[in-house]
Amino acid sequence: MRIFVTGASGWIGSAVVPELLDAGHTVTGLARSQASADALTAAGVAPIAGSLDDLDSLKAGAADSDGVIHLGFKHDFSDMAGAGRTERAAVTALGDTLAGSDRPLLFAAGVAGLTPGRAVTENDPSPAVGPDAPRGGGENFAFEYASRGVRPVSLRFAPTVHGDGDHGFLSTIAGVARDRGVSGYVGDGSNRWAAVNRSDAAKLVRLALEQAEAGAIVHAVGEEGISAREIAETIGRQLGVPAESVAPDAAASHFGWIGMFFALDMSASSMLTQERFGWTPTHPGLVADLEAGYYTRRA
């Protein structure tokens, strides 16, 4: 298949691309800069100039494809409402272009905040509905295209997709520990974070493209949950600083913007995903990657 990928040069997308190519697919990718276009070309991807705000480029990429994997997202925590509107507009452009073709539209989503107090499963619907909801209510909105001849598939990623080179949440948390001289966790640190190795996640995206039915929810989760305290203690050992509790009302001042996320319980199961797609995570887990120094060594 000829697959159009947004976010193809990003952290997850740059691992998905070789999975697709090795399986015999051809790939086109959205490139918002010359540097991105050059990186895609070097990876064997045909670049399409544009951005998530350039709906014409999204439509052109989708029209000239056998399916779309939408991994791009504006991770602007200062304007999450704006990011949600952009996401909803992008899904509209892609879905409208694919309508009536039965072609797949895979899109990135998350497991955070769906079922507070317990691990979220693939059978749990997202409560986010409407343009003002997180990510613009994109999951439920995209699923509406199933009745219009599109095969929408939700790719729910764990809050940390880890590996060497990751500059996401855990990199920020490790940076705070280095700057503060203490590796903190909120409260008793019993809240858990689901995790998945980047390479395992990439393989699952390819399997979902090839096998998932319309309306499927796929959990890219390799580990159901690692406690925030274990994460902090592992980071602390790598940096040679103590791991200590931070009071919930001091989380924002201690951690900055990442504090509100590090205090959340974001555990998730992928049991159904593993059964449905014959997918078994085989790469190192989160603690192993932390112990390898991927998040604590200086560039």
Side-chain angles (χ1 to χ4, degrees):
M1 291 190 287
R2 181 178 175 85
I3 306 302
F4 174 52
V5 181
T6 71
S9 61
W11 172 241
I12 298 174
S14 59
V16 169
V17 164
E19 270 287 334
L20 297 175
L21 296 176
D22 288 348
H25 303 293
T26 59
V27 182
T28 59
L30 190 68
R32 62 179 178 179
S33 68
Q34 188 59 51
S36 177
D38 291 344
L40 292 178
T41 300
V45 175
I48 295 177
S51 69
L52 295 180
D53 293 311
D54 180 2
L55 300 184
D56 287 339
S57 65
L58 296 179
K59 293 174 183 177
D64 191 29
S65 76
D66 297 311
V68 174
I69 301 177
H70 174 42
L71 300 174
F73 185 75
K74 283 187 173 181
H75 293 283
D76 183 357
F77 295 103
S78 67
D79 185 16
M80 293 304 294
R85 289 191 295 271
T86 297
E87 174 70 359
R88 199 172 180 93
V91 170
T92 299
L94 296 169
D96 286 352
T97 302
L98 298 176
S101 68
D102 292 322
R103 285 177 285 176
L105 170 57
L106 280 65
F107 56 92
V111 300
L114 300 186
T115 56
R118 67 171 176 84
V120 60
T121 77
E122 297 89 336
N123 289 331
D124 291 311
S126 170
V129 177
D132 296 325
R135 296 186 75 102
E139 180 172 286
N140 287 302
F141 180 61
F143 282 161
E144 294 177 10
Y145 279 93
S147 64
R148 297 182 55 191
V150 180
R151 179 158 62 93
V153 176
S154 176
L155 302 170
R156 287 182 180 170
F157 291 97
T160 178
V161 180
H162 57 87
D164 192 7
D166 177 18
H167 297 291
F169 286 153
L170 288 187
S171 179
T172 301
I173 291 168
V176 171
R178 178 183 288 111
D179 294 342
R180 292 280 188 177
V182 59
S183 185
Y185 52 87
V186 181
D188 64 4
S190 62
N191 60 296
R192 301 188 303 156
W193 273 31
V196 66
N197 188 285
R198 174 175 175 249
S199 296
D200 287 322
K203 180 178 180 179
L204 179 59
V205 172
R206 193 259 301 168
L207 291 173
L209 171 73
E210 297 169 346
Q211 302 177 26
E213 299 178 350
I217 293 176
V218 178
H219 276 198
V221 173
E223 296 175 280
E224 184 170 306
I226 302 94
S227 74
R229 180 166 184 166
E230 184 175 6
I231 292 170
E233 287 175 343
T234 307
I235 290 173
R237 287 195 299 272
Q238 294 300 305
L239 292 175
V241 301
E244 296 180 359
S245 172
V246 175
D249 59 3
S253 60
H254 180 89
F255 292 101
W257 66 268
I258 195 70
M260 63 179 290
F261 293 101
F262 200 37
L264 295 176
D265 186 82
M266 298 188 286
S267 58
S269 168
S270 65
M271 182 178 67
L272 296 178
T273 292
Q274 294 189 44
E275 292 175 353
R276 289 168 180 167
F277 300 103
W279 174 69
T280 302
T282 59
H283 290 82
L286 175 58
V287 170
D289 276 1
L290 288 169
E291 290 176 337
Y294 296 159
Y295 295 86
T296 48
R297 67 188 180 204
R298 291 187 180 276

